[in-house]
Amino acid sequence: QITTVSGNEFLLQSDIDFLILDWFHAIKNAIDRLPKERSCTSRNLEFKLRRSSSIELLSSLDTESKEPKPEHRKSLIFRLNYSASDTNDRNRVKSRLKKFISRRPSLKTLQDKGLIKDQIFGSHLHLVCEHEKSTVPQFVRLCIKAVEKRGLDVDGIYRVSGNLATIQKLRFVVNQEEKLNLDDSQWEDIHVVTGALKMFFRELPEPLFPYCFFEQFVEAIKIQDNATRIKSIRSLVKKLPKPNYDTMKILFEHLKKIAAKESVNLMSTQSLGIVFGPTLLRPEKETGNMAVHMLYQNQIVELMLSEYSKIFGSEED
């Protein structure tokens, strides 16, 4: 870390020794070229080789005296210090951290006191729904409403990525249970809204298609006869927990509207399958069949979009 007289700070860090030495010589040469009358009693450069083999450049500038004495005009120190001798310090830090962690109140205690609120992102779907007393998360409804209002005709909707920093900001607002208005100018980019919606489903601890159903859906999509395949998928969908079924139904109904505008937004059922397949269903444990699984994931979403009315319709349909 280099701190200049004006207060600017810079961090240079590398695991490559010769690169650090190049930095050191470059900075040393720059200092040597500074005017001798520069107000600074000392300039010290110090390298520390940490146990992790990372090397940090530290610079300390002493500006206590505005009229430096000649012998203090410039001094340069270069050292390589191995931090193996710091073992005792690290052990003391570990001990203090353990004591600190052991004294921390539990998550439930903090939630009961209102210090930590229940999160929307990263929580189980059924818990979000229980908290909101609904079967479809409000955030999902708001995103779908916003996209259908101003995103159906947007080229590459759901495929094009939004600004990640803005998506994370939206995520923070939702998790803090602040009043969310997706018509606000800061969420003007519809790709931010779609990015946040995809992130919500991606961060579910258990996907929208529960783990215990994954292999059953894969086996169903393998069925050659189309009518039997649709019937099998429909049967599995009907067995899903209520929050999963209702959320899935409203999401696929929305995506079907996206696909209906394919001539404008260039998002076909196949494109949406590629985007949402790995997001909505995945195996609990990844195996060597990831590429094969991805193909089935895409096909399942694509079939459910193209045959939406048969899969989510009433028995009479």
Side-chain angles (χ1 to χ4, degrees):
Q1 182 180 338
I2 305 172
T3 305
T4 66
V5 178
S6 60
N8 294 318
E9 295 185 353
F10 305 90
L11 176 66
L12 299 138
Q13 184 171 334
S14 176
D15 295 331
I16 305 172
D17 293 4
F18 73 82
L19 183 59
I20 292 290
L21 290 175
D22 286 344
W23 292 347
F24 169 77
H25 290 305
I27 295 172
K28 176 182 179 298
N29 292 335
I31 291 176
D32 288 341
R33 290 195 300 270
L34 291 174
K36 293 183 179 180
E37 63 274 9
R38 189 70 172 264
S39 298
C40 186
T41 60
S42 67
R43 293 183 179 87
N44 298 327
L45 294 180
E46 179 180 291
F47 282 97
K48 286 189 177 180
L49 181 59
R50 299 180 181 267
R51 193 166 189 172
S52 64
S53 297
S54 65
I55 302 174
E56 291 184 358
L57 175 64
L58 305 170
S59 168
S60 118
L61 298 174
D62 183 358
T63 58
E64 292 178 358
S65 174
K66 294 184 179 179
E67 297 296 332
K69 297 178 181 180
E71 63 271 21
H72 289 152
R73 190 160 49 226
K74 274 186 284 188
S75 64
L76 188 63
I77 301 173
F78 177 63
R79 295 182 303 182
L80 283 173
N81 293 332
Y82 289 83
S83 61
S85 59
D86 296 338
T87 304
N88 291 335
D89 291 339
R90 284 198 298 274
N91 288 339
R92 281 196 293 271
V93 171
K94 287 181 180 179
S95 177
R96 289 175 182 175
L97 282 173
K98 286 180 180 178
K99 289 180 180 178
F100 172 75
I101 292 172
S102 66
R103 293 172 184 168
R104 289 183 64 194
S106 66
L107 177 62
K108 186 177 186 306
T109 301
L110 293 173
Q111 289 174 334
D112 291 343
K113 291 182 178 180
L115 298 176
I116 293 182
K117 298 177 180 178
D118 293 328
Q119 304 287 286
I120 301 299
F121 281 75
S123 292
H124 285 276
L125 182 64
H126 71 277
L127 293 179
V128 175
C129 291
E130 285 176 12
H131 175 71
E132 297 179 351
K133 295 179 174 56
S134 69
T135 55
V136 179
Q138 180 65 15
F139 176 67
V140 173
R141 292 184 183 275
L142 288 174
C143 288
I144 289 175
K145 182 179 179 181
V147 175
E148 292 185 357
K149 180 179 179 182
R150 51 192 172 95
L152 290 179
D153 295 336
V154 175
D155 186 2
I157 191 72
Y158 282 113
R159 185 184 69 243
V160 176
S161 301
N163 181 275
L164 183 57
T166 311
I167 292 173
Q168 291 288 5
K169 182 180 179 182
L170 177 55
R171 178 182 186 274
F172 176 80
V173 169
V174 174
N175 273 343
Q176 293 302 308
E177 290 188 342
E178 297 180 19
K179 188 175 181 180
L180 182 61
N181 177 17
L182 290 178
D183 289 329
D184 191 288
S185 59
Q186 61 183 324
W187 321 124
E188 181 180 5
D189 182 3
I190 197 62
H191 297 304
V192 167
V193 177
T194 57
L197 182 61
K198 288 188 293 183
M199 181 179 286
F200 170 80
F201 285 112
R202 196 161 53 243
E203 291 191 2
L204 288 174
E206 187 169 27
L208 186 60
F209 290 70
Y211 288 130
C212 60
F213 283 85
F214 179 79
E215 291 298 337
Q216 298 177 64
F217 273 99
V218 170
E219 291 303 315
I221 201 66
K222 291 179 182 179
I223 298 173
Q224 295 298 314
D225 181 69
N226 189 54
T228 307
R229 181 166 60 236
I230 294 172
K231 185 177 180 181
S232 181
I233 293 286
R234 174 191 170 92
S235 175
L236 289 171
V237 167
K238 296 295 184 183
K239 293 177 183 177
L240 293 173
K242 184 68 171 172
N244 298 71
Y245 176 84
D246 287 355
T247 303
M248 189 180 296
K249 183 176 181 180
I250 193 174
L251 175 64
F252 276 81
E253 182 181 15
H254 165 64
L255 295 179
K256 190 171 178 290
K257 293 178 183 178
I258 298 288
K261 290 272 193 172
E262 178 189 354
S263 60
V264 181
N265 58 38
L266 305 181
M267 292 299 290
S268 62
T269 54
Q270 184 179 17
S271 300
L272 291 168
I274 292 172
V275 171
F276 279 93
T279 299
L280 300 181
L281 70 158
R282 58 185 181 272
E284 186 168 7
K285 294 182 180 179
E286 294 292 353
T287 64
N289 299 323
M290 287 181 61
V292 177
H293 280 164
M294 187 172 294
L295 177 63
Y296 292 139
Q297 289 162 336
N298 301 350
Q299 290 178 347
I300 291 167
V301 172
E302 184 180 352
L303 176 71
M304 291 177 64
L305 284 174
S306 59
E307 302 293 347
Y308 174 85
S309 59
K310 293 180 181 178
I311 292 173
F312 290 96
S314 63
E315 293 292 341
E316 289 76 14
D317 297 340

